[in-house]
Amino acid sequence: MQLFYNSDISEQNNTFTFPKDESRHIVKVLRKKVGDTLYISNGKGFLFTAKITIADQKNCMVSIENSEFKKPTDYKLHLAVAPTKMNDRYEWFLEKATEIGITSITPIFCDHSERKKVKLDRFEKILQSAMKQSLHLYLPTLNQPISFKDYINQDFSGDLFIAHCEETDKKSLKNEIKTNTETTILIGPEGDFSVNEIETAIKNKFIPVTLGNTRLRTETAAIVACHSVAFINE
């Protein structure tokens, strides 16, 4: 099944018209024609089955024949991950985390961060592409970038963890994960969290954890954390 995504489609629609760029992709690139079936999600749990009624490169219109709703997972996973020095590594993380299953992602700027700017528009497109490729019906929320200092002072719910490389007392994440709960995990930059950031997180009830016996890159650590939570909740 090939999945299309558009956030504007809803269960109230009987018909839907794709915007120009997507219409061109459907009609000219994919060579879809009148009568062909499309599967569309709005990233909010709905899967729409539709048939093309107008195959126009500027305004491709479909008639919605059926809609199904898939309830979200019983767990929620939020990852706050420092942007990597090389953009492609962070983009790889976004793609794989979406495929595995994640609720929301927040880029956080830390004391040791080498990158202080990110391109959210590009990140959003990567999430959408990964959602379609993996046939997920929920698009992860991509939050605005924020400094560690501002992020850590928010109100949190559920289980809170910070993964770092300092030689201090830490618990194993895999042993701390609970099923069917809300989990937030902090992943630092290439230079790791600063000692002050770790102490601040602990004061704010984040539990320090290890992801294994080896030193992991930022994007690898984020994927290990994501997969660990998904695996425990299978």
Side-chain angles (χ1 to χ4, degrees):
M1 182 179 75
Q2 183 176 22
L3 184 65
F4 295 85
Y5 165 77
N6 194 291
S7 61
D8 294 330
I9 191 170
S10 73
E11 63 271 31
Q12 278 76 44
N13 291 110
N14 294 317
T15 62
F16 184 77
T17 302
F18 287 96
K20 184 177 178 180
D21 57 341
E22 199 160 13
S23 292
R24 183 179 182 279
H25 179 73
I26 292 170
V27 177
K28 186 172 184 179
V29 179
L30 299 178
R31 301 190 180 187
K32 299 292 185 180
K33 57 187 184 298
V34 172
D36 285 352
T37 298
L38 300 183
Y39 298 96
I40 313 161
S41 177
N42 58 5
K44 302 168 187 174
F46 280 93
L47 176 64
F48 301 93
T49 303
K51 282 197 175 180
I52 297 177
T53 55
I54 299 178
D56 187 282
Q57 291 186 34
K58 294 182 179 179
N59 295 285
C60 178
M61 180 180 289
V62 297
S63 173
I64 299 176
E65 299 190 329
N66 185 52
S67 66
E68 301 175 33
F69 179 73
K70 181 180 179 180
K71 71 173 186 176
T73 59
D74 292 328
Y75 73 94
K76 293 182 180 180
L77 173 60
H78 310 284
L79 285 184
V81 185
T84 53
K85 183 178 179 180
M86 302 299 291
N87 256 329
D88 59 342
R89 290 180 179 172
Y90 204 83
E91 292 171 1
W92 177 84
F93 145 66
L94 293 172
E95 179 183 75
K96 301 312 173 188
T98 302
E99 291 177 14
I100 294 168
I102 191 170
T103 308
S104 69
I105 300 161
T106 305
I108 53 171
F109 300 126
C110 305
D111 290 343
H112 297 160
S113 290
E114 295 188 59
R115 179 173 292 278
K116 298 292 185 179
K117 293 182 179 180
V118 295
K119 297 180 180 179
L120 283 186
D121 288 347
R122 177 169 173 78
F123 285 179
E124 188 69 37
K125 289 179 180 178
I126 290 170
L127 295 181
Q128 292 174 12
S129 178
M131 185 200 86
K132 291 187 291 183
Q133 187 277 328
S134 56
L135 302 181
H136 276 296
L137 300 183
Y138 284 90
L139 181 70
T141 299
L142 179 62
N143 297 312
Q144 288 291 322
I146 189 173
S147 69
F148 178 91
K149 180 180 178 181
D150 291 336
Y151 182 83
I152 205 69
N153 287 317
Q154 299 179 97
D155 291 328
F156 296 97
S157 58
D159 292 340
L160 311 175
F161 302 103
I162 177 170
H164 66 82
C165 299
E166 286 292 315
E167 295 296 330
T168 60
D169 184 36
K170 292 177 286 187
K171 297 183 178 181
S172 173
L173 177 64
K174 66 180 181 179
N175 294 332
E176 296 298 313
I177 298 170
K178 300 173 186 174
T179 59
N180 305 331
T181 191
E182 188 169 2
T183 304
T184 299
I185 305 173
L186 308 182
I187 305 291
E190 281 92 341
D192 203 6
F193 291 110
S194 66
V195 172
N196 181 63
E197 287 171 335
I198 295 170
E199 291 176 349
T200 301
I202 293 173
K203 288 179 182 177
N204 283 273
K205 299 182 180 179
F206 279 79
I207 299 171
V209 293
T210 176
L211 301 175
N213 297 323
T214 58
R215 191 180 186 91
L216 304 176
R217 289 182 181 273
T218 295
E219 69 277 14
T220 309
I223 291 301
V224 169
C226 181
H227 181 263
S228 296
V229 174
F231 183 78
I232 293 297
N233 278 278
E234 280 189 344

